[in-house]
Amino acid sequence: MRNHRGQFSSRLGFVLAAAGSAVGLGNIWGFPTQVAGNGGAAFLVIYLILAFCLAYPALMAELTIGRHTRANIVIALQAIASNGFTRSFGKYTGLYGVLVASLILSFYTLVAGWVLAHFTAHLCKLLGVSGIVPWLTSDNLSRNLIFAFGFSLMTIGVISAGVHRGIEVWSDRLMPALLVLLVLLIAYVLSQEGAMEGLRLYLVPDFSRITDSRLILSALGQAFFSLSLGVGTMLIYGSYIRAQDNLPAIGALVTLVDTGIAFLAGLLVIPAMFVAQKLGVDIYQNGQLAGGPALIFNILPELFDSIGFGGQVIATAFFALLTIAALTSSISMLEVPVSLALETTTMARRSASWLIGLVIFSFTVLITIYFDRLFGLIVTLTTTYSEPLVGIVLCLYAGWVWNRNSLLNTLRQGNPAIENSFFWKIWPVYVRYFCPFLIFAAFVQSLNL
Ligand code: PFF
C-alpha cells in the first residue's frame, strides 16, 4: 500500500467535501420529485426521521471505519475483520460497493449531462445565440453523449488532481456558490403568486399517508442515496479526515447540511410548480404532480420563460446550481474505485483516474443507447436495493465484527471524553441492533409490495 495518502487540510474542508458528496441531484431533483409523488409533507416528515435515526448512524459507521483503517472499503472491511470468514465476506462486500458506486456514477453522468445541456441552452439564450437551443433542449442521442462526456471529463479532471487540490479545493469553491444561488432562487419564487399553495402542500402533512409502506421505503432509499451511503464513498472520505477531528460532530454537521439543502430544494421546487400552474402550465401527469425530467426540464423552464429576461437569468442560475451539485457528488463516486486502484496497485492517481473514469463512461454510453432497458433497472438495483444492503453490512461490521476497544479509540481521537457522551451511550447499541434490523425490515417490506 502507498503511504502517501491525501488528507483534507481542515475540518471545514472535510465538511464541505462530504456535504458536497451528499448534496447532489438527489437533493435538488430527487427529493422534490419524491415529495411531489408521495403526498407532500408526509414524505418530508418520514424522510427527516429516517435521515437522522437511520442514515446518520450508518454514516457514522462508514466515517469511523474509514478513519481507523485509512483505506478504501475493500481493504478497510478486511482490516477490521476478526476471522477468515468475516475477512472474505468483507472483501467481497467491499468490491460489490465499489461496483455499485461505479454503476451509480454511470447513470448519474448521463443525467448530469442533460442538466449541463440545459445550462448551456439557457446561457446561449441569455447571450442571444438561440439557434442551437432546440438541439440542446431536445432529447437526442448526440446531445446526450456529448454532454455526458463533457461532464465525465470535469469529474475525472477534479479527481486526478487529488484529495486536497482536487476534491477539497473544488468543494470549497462550489458549495458556497450553490447555497447562495439556492437562497436567491427561493426568495424569488416565494414572492410569486401561487407559491403559498405549494408551501402548504410541502409543509402540512396528510397523516393518513405516513404509514404507507411504499412511502417509507422510498424515503429510506432517498435518505441513503442522499447521504451517499452504502457504497464506500463516506468511508473513503472518512479515511482522509485528520486524527484531531471530532467524528460524531462532523458527521452530524454533514447530515444537517444534506437534509437542510434537500429541505431548501423542496422549498424552491414545490412552490415553483404552483407558481407555474398559475401561469397556465400543466403540473400534473397521469393525475399526479409531475416529477423527474418533466418537472426539471419542462415545468420549471416554462415558469422561468414566462418571466422574460430576468427569468432567463434565474433559469441559467438554476441549472448552474444543479450542475455544481452534481459535480461535487460525482467526484466522490469516482474516488471510490480510484482509491481502490491506488491502494492495491502501483498506478499513479492521474492514470487511474483517467482509466477508470473512461471505463465508467463507456457504461454511460451503453445506458444512453439502451436507455429504456437499462436506466430504470440500474437505478433501482443500485439505489433501492444495493445501497441499503451494503449499509446493513457496514453497520454489522462496525457493531459486531470490529473490536469494541479499537472502535472506541478511534472515536476518542478528536473527542477524548466520548465515553461519557450521549453519543457513546446510544450509537454502539443502535448500530448493532436497530440499524441493521430496521433497514432490513424496510427492505423486506419492499419485496412484498
Ligand atoms: N448523494 C448524492 C446525491 O444526493 O445526489 C448521490 C451519491 C453520491 C450517491 C455519492 C452515492 C455516492 F457514492
Side-chain angles (χ1 to χ4, degrees):
M1 215 207 279
R2 293 166 162 251
N3 44 23
H4 275 302
R5 303 189 83 241
Q7 181 163 301
F8 293 114
S9 67
S10 66
R11 189 181 123 118
L12 183 68
F14 168 77
V15 171
L16 287 177
S21 165
V23 173
L25 297 175
N27 301 60
I28 300 170
W29 169 320
F31 179 75
T33 292
Q34 297 257 25
V35 172
N38 284 297
F43 184 86
L44 174 66
V45 171
I46 295 293
Y47 177 78
L48 290 178
I49 295 174
L50 292 181
F52 284 96
C53 298
L54 276 181
Y56 169 66
L59 169 67
M60 285 311 302
E62 288 205 30
L63 292 181
T64 321
I65 294 174
R67 191 172 67 181
H68 170 71
T69 55
R70 299 263 178 227
N72 66 80
I73 184 170
V74 178
I75 296 180
L77 291 184
Q78 295 180 79
I80 57 169
S82 46
N83 56 38
F85 171 73
T86 49
R87 204 163 300 126
S88 9
F89 191 70
K91 176 176 166 187
Y92 290 110
T93 306
L95 286 170
Y96 183 67
V98 175
L99 178 71
V100 175
S102 310
L103 284 176
I104 293 180
L105 180 56
S106 64
F107 78 73
Y108 207 83
T109 300
L110 171 61
V111 177
W114 299 338
V115 171
L116 189 59
H118 279 263
F119 166 70
T120 314
H122 286 284
L123 195 63
C124 287
K125 269 197 210 168
L126 207 57
L127 300 173
V129 201
S130 22
I132 195 177
V133 171
W135 178 75
L136 286 170
T137 51
S138 69
D139 183 17
N140 63 78
L141 189 64
S142 57
R143 176 206 74 164
N144 290 348
L145 288 178
I146 291 171
F147 280 87
F149 188 58
F151 185 81
S152 192
L153 291 182
M154 296 191 318
T155 307
I156 296 172
V158 174
I159 285 303
S160 68
V163 178
H164 174 63
R165 282 183 35 241
I167 300 174
E168 185 173 349
V169 165
W170 280 98
S171 304
D172 284 3
R173 285 179 193 157
L174 297 176
M175 289 304 287
L178 181 141
L179 191 63
V180 171
L181 281 179
L182 191 57
V183 170
L184 289 178
L185 285 169
I186 292 173
Y188 175 77
V189 165
L190 289 187
S191 68
Q192 299 301 300
E193 205 193 331
M196 288 309 132
E197 202 178 325
L199 211 55
R200 234 186 331 274
L201 176 87
Y202 186 46
L203 298 178
V204 183
D206 166 3
F207 284 103
S208 65
R209 294 289 303 265
I210 270 179
T211 48
D212 181 345
S213 55
R214 203 179 293 264
L215 185 153
I216 296 176
L217 184 77
S218 306
L220 180 73
Q222 174 67 26
F224 265 70
F225 182 72
S226 189
L227 267 177
S228 312
L229 296 176
V231 291
T233 294
M234 286 300 180
L235 194 152
I236 193 69
Y237 273 23
S239 80
Y240 302 138
I241 303 183
R242 301 171 314 166
Q244 66 264 40
D245 289 326
N246 178 348
L247 283 179
I250 53 184
L253 207 56
V254 171
T255 311
L256 268 176
V257 173
D258 184 53
T259 41
I261 301 260
F263 179 76
L264 287 179
L267 214 51
L268 168 68
V269 174
I270 306 291
M273 292 174 88
F274 287 84
V275 174
Q277 189 186 35
K278 277 270 176 301
L279 296 166
V281 179
D282 183 11
I283 61 171
Y284 290 91
Q285 259 183 340
N286 313 322
Q288 269 218 330
L289 268 181
L295 169 60
I296 302 293
F297 298 134
N298 303 338
I299 294 180
L300 293 181
E302 277 192 58
L303 162 67
F304 300 141
D305 272 346
S306 66
I307 310 170
F309 183 77
Q312 281 319 313
V313 178
I314 295 178
T316 314
F318 177 73
F319 284 104
L321 174 88
L322 273 174
T323 309
I324 292 172
L327 184 62
T328 52
S329 296
S330 63
I331 56 180
S332 73
M333 294 176 219
L334 183 57
E335 182 64 11
V336 174
V338 167
S339 63
L340 174 66
L342 295 187
E343 289 164 7
T344 49
T345 70
T346 53
M347 261 190 191
R349 177 172 273 277
R350 192 165 290 272
S351 23
S353 308
W354 281 97
L355 182 71
I356 295 171
L358 291 176
V359 169
I360 292 176
F361 179 70
S362 64
F363 271 86
T364 307
V365 173
L366 280 182
I367 297 176
T368 312
I369 296 174
Y370 300 104
F371 184 83
D372 289 341
R373 246 181 285 168
L374 290 182
F375 186 78
L377 183 74
I378 294 185
V379 172
T380 312
L381 181 77
T382 53
T383 62
T384 313
Y385 296 114
S386 303
E387 286 194 75
L389 280 182
V390 176
I392 293 179
V393 176
L394 288 162
C395 289
L396 292 175
Y397 269 66
W400 293 92
V401 174
W402 188 5
N403 174 285
R404 183 61 69 99
N405 283 337
S406 162
L407 169 69
L408 180 58
N409 280 336
T410 302
L411 287 167
R412 264 201 203 112
Q413 296 166 13
N415 188 347
I418 191 140
E419 259 169 299
N420 306 319
S421 69
F422 178 66
F423 179 82
W424 185 250
K425 286 198 183 73
I426 304 279
W427 182 73
V429 179
Y430 207 84
V431 84
R432 248 185 158 182
Y433 300 100
F434 290 95
C435 277
F437 177 74
L438 292 175
I439 300 171
F440 189 66
F443 183 76
V444 167
Q445 200 181 20
S446 77
L447 300 179
N448 299 326
L449 289 176

